Amino acid sequence: MHPLLLLLILLSAIPDTMAAPVVKELLVDRYGASASSAQIFNGINLLGALAAVPLLWSVRRNWGSRAVLITASLVDGALLAVMALPLGIAWTLALRCLEGVTDVLVFAALFDIVRGRSRGRVGIGLGIASSPLLIGLGVGAVLGGVVVRQAQGSGSAMWLFGVSAALSALVGIVAWRWQGIDSFPREPIRAADASEGNGLAAERVWPPLAMAFADRATGGLLTGTLPIALSQILGYSPLVRGVLVGLPLLLMALGTAPFGWLCDLLGAKRIRIACGVCYAASFALLPAASASAAALGLVMTIVGLSASGLFASSVSLTVRSGASTVALGAFRAAGDLGFLSGTILSVLLLASLGGAEPTFADYATVLIVFAGFHLLTTSIVSLALPRDAKAKD
């Protein structure tokens, strides 16, 4: 894998999360927006991601991955730059939604280039590429806080959106200057996958999309709802909460490449089922382990390791569906929709169970419900997926 391609993936991921931890400064302090409007800002770009799939289908008929990457990155940078202007809350939210479209196009183009450069070793190639993606998301959240803290005052939004825009534009410029970024044999992916004995028909792309939805739905609960329980119900300090929530993300970043290699060696379906069972079980164990930080850390370790296997296997199965760039865009959109749905559903479930002040039992119930949902998804998908013909029985 070319180091410059990995760098582009890292740079493209950083702007995705820069605004998330500082929406108070960007919207509430700047425009006097309500807390609900600030929360909408964090999720409305996920709705824009859904519009990217039909657009990608249309664009990809005439454009190569490099052309899509260059154009989408530059447009993404322009949208972020305009958000730095004092537009008001309504126009800012509208641009944020459009930025979700370009973000998916960039992701799909980059990972299609990775797929082409993997030359038959799809699992490990995508696993290696997923590490800088996940690292970039973590770096972006930290960098957003640093930028706003250093800038302070009314200029913080201009600096944050300015840095985000510059990073996105840099991706497009590098891709434009790097003529050989996607210079790989353009063989039909279905033929390539048939030679690997592990392909999905194009019309059967829904199983990995269902995986992405379920994985990100539970991820939304893990990063959005669980920290509240750790703080308000269990009284863990900010440092402990940060370590517990950040641990699975770090393990995902480190584990996707090894699990990608295992997908090539043993078969993506086998990895998916094994990691899906471990993931659901560890989720269900979170309430029982929550009384001890050490026990909770152990369970979170299992969550992170199994999640890295889930990501590696689902993205591997997606590119082997035969739909190439469009399938990757749909994979990203399905995941974004899952994250948004999981966040909203967890809030609604808690409100229905415990009202304005949910108890520990309410949080435990929600965790177990989500664990059951994920296990059910794994069971259904395992029946729809073809047998891992490449793996040894």
Side-chain angles (χ1 to χ4, degrees), residues 72-100:
S73 296
L74 295 178
V75 173
D76 190 70
L79 291 171
L80 289 167
V82 174
M83 275 190 271
L85 302 176
L87 304 173
I89 181 65
W91 281 107
T92 301
L93 290 176
L95 290 174
R96 177 71 166 175
C97 184
L98 290 176
E99 194 263 335

Side-chain angles (χ1 to χ4, degrees), residues 189-255:
I189 188 170
R190 189 179 299 178
D193 291 338
S195 68
E196 294 176 12
N198 208 4
L200 283 173
E203 64 273 12
R204 300 284 298 279
V205 71
W206 72 264
L209 300 189
M211 299 174 193
F213 181 91
D215 295 346
R216 292 291 304 282
T218 51
L221 176 67
L222 191 68
T223 59
T225 304
L226 183 61
I228 299 175
L230 295 177
S231 172
Q232 296 181 353
I233 305 297
L234 298 172
Y236 283 115
S237 68
L239 176 60
V240 174
R241 295 198 306 269
V243 171
L244 290 174
V245 175
L247 182 60
L249 301 176
L250 175 62
L251 291 173
M252 279 189 68
L254 297 177

Side-chain angles (χ1 to χ4, degrees), residues 278-331:
C278 290
Y279 185 81
S282 58
F283 235 78
L285 286 173
L286 284 173
S290 59
S292 167
L296 197 54
L298 177 60
V299 175
M300 284 298 212
T301 299
I302 300 173
V303 169
L305 290 174
S306 54
S308 61
L310 295 179
F311 189 89
S313 59
S314 58
V315 74
S316 177
L317 288 166
T318 299
V319 299
R320 287 169 172 159
S321 67
S324 190
T325 318
V326 179
L328 286 164
F331 173 83

Side-chain angles (χ1 to χ4, degrees), residues 84-116:
L85 302 176
L87 304 173
I89 181 65
W91 281 107
T92 301
L93 290 176
L95 290 174
R96 177 71 166 175
C97 184
L98 290 176
E99 194 263 335
V101 177
T102 55
D103 188 42
V104 169
L105 297 181
V106 171
F107 168 86
L110 278 169
F111 271 70
D112 191 40
I113 293 170
V114 170
R115 187 272 306 171

